[in-house]
Every structure is written in C-alpha cells, then in structure tokens.
Amino acid sequence: MKLYDLSRVEKVEASPAWSEWTAKSTKRSLTAADAAQQRRRRAAEAEEAAAEKFLSEFGTPEVHVFFNGSHEQLIAYAVAEYNAARELQPWDRNYADAASSAEFLGRITTNYLRHSCTNYDALVRRCEGQPGGDEVYERVVDAVSDAMDEAFPELSKHVFRYQLGKQLAPSM
C-alpha cells in the first residue's frame, strides 16, 4: 500500500498542469464513450439490416408433413420412438403405452410428428445463428403447427404456437 504526503498531493492538484491533464483526461473519456456509443449504434443498425435481409430471403416457410397413416398409427409410432429413447437413458425408464394419459400421448405424438414427420428440424437449422433467426423461428413453429393441425386436427390442442413474440402453451 502506497501512502502519499497529503501536502504534496494538494500541491500537485492545485497546479495548472494538473488542471490541464484532468481536462484532457475528461475530454478523452467523453470522446471514447461517444465513439463506443456510435459503434454500438452502427452494429445494431447492421444487425437490424441483416435481420431484415434474412427475414425477406427466408420468406414463408414451406412445411411438409411426411406421414400418411391414421391417428392411431401415429400414436403407435410416437410411443415406440419415445420408448426407444428411454432405453438410451437408464435413469429414465418411464415408458409410454396406450394407457398413458391423453395429455402425455398428445405431447409425445406432436413431438414425434414435428421432429420425425416434418421438415421442422431442417428449417430450424437454417435460423440458428442468423440475425433475425428468432423471428424466423417463430414463423417456422407457426407454419409447422398449422401443417400439423391440417394433417391431424385431433392433435391441435397439444401444439405449441407463438403469438406476438410469446410462446403459448398448448390448450389442454
């Protein structure tokens, strides 16, 4: 710890050189803060422009549902895939079957349909890391949800949706 003689400090701080140095230091600080603020503003503008470009290029996502079977067949495939995943997780042996709750079956069935029977994952990968990707992701979720509703209306109450930037829980 350094100790300074108070009389020497007061003498230096009273000198014109000290006043000139502090004025220049304050000016440098203000100039640097202003430059940093301008850089942040330009970066935000560039990100916004890139996001607008990505949004316009991405457009409306074209969703495909690749399942032509019945609702019961879809549930059977979803249960089989869910149980296969449980086999890989020894700490989670909660298996699904036809006697599982309707809410649970609806959830795993919509997850199976979204990830295994649509081009959802490919569309989401196109959004990752892109400026504006969050907004496009919401478009993708809504488009996939609409396609799932059209293909399997009986699952619509289990499908997640976005509205005004907020994820809505399924209505059960």
Side-chain angles (χ1 to χ4, degrees), residues 58 61 63 120 123-124 127 136-145:
F58 195 92
V63 178
Y120 168 82
L123 291 169
V124 167
C127 303
V136 173
Y137 174 75
E138 290 180 17
R139 287 185 191 179
V140 167
V141 169
D142 287 340
V144 169
S145 298

Side-chain angles (χ1 to χ4, degrees), residues 11-25:
K11 181 179 176 184
V12 168
E13 288 181 350
S15 72
W18 175 262
S19 296
E20 183 180 324
W21 182 87
T22 56
K24 286 181 180 178
S25 176

Side-chain angles (χ1 to χ4, degrees), residues 21-158:
W21 182 87
T22 56
K24 286 181 180 178
S25 176
T26 302
K27 184 178 179 184
R28 280 192 308 270
S29 292
L30 292 173
T31 302
D34 185 46
Q37 184 178 14
Q38 287 179 18
R39 282 192 304 275
R40 284 191 298 272
R41 182 184 49 76
R42 282 193 302 273
E45 288 171 354
E47 173 134 353
E48 189 175 317
E52 286 299 318
K53 181 178 183 225
F54 180 66
L55 286 167
S56 67
E57 288 173 357
F58 195 92
T60 303
E62 187 175 325
V63 178
H64 307 283
V65 177
F66 309 107
F67 191 85
N68 293 322
S70 70
H71 182 240
E72 291 73 26
Q73 289 171 320
L74 180 63
I75 292 172
Y77 282 118
V79 166
E81 184 163 298
Y82 181 84
N83 289 340
R86 299 289 74 73
E87 288 295 325
L88 300 174
Q89 300 174 350
W91 62 90
D92 183 7
R93 298 291 185 174
N94 295 320
Y95 293 103
D97 60 30
S100 298
S101 73
E103 291 80 21
F104 177 71
L105 288 175
R107 181 175 60 82
I108 67 170
T109 302
T110 55
N111 284 342
Y112 173 77
L113 183 59
R114 178 182 303 109
H115 294 287
S116 299
C117 302
T118 70
N119 56 333
Y120 168 82
D121 291 327
L123 291 169
V124 167
R125 277 192 297 278
R126 284 183 53 201
C127 303
E128 290 174 348
Q130 295 294 329
D134 291 343
E135 291 175 47
V136 173
Y137 174 75
E138 290 180 17
R139 287 185 191 179
V140 167
V141 169
D142 287 340
V144 169
S145 298
D146 290 345
M148 288 168 52
D149 280 348
E150 187 176 318
F152 292 94
E154 56 273 18
L155 290 174
S156 65
K157 70 179 186 175
H158 301 286

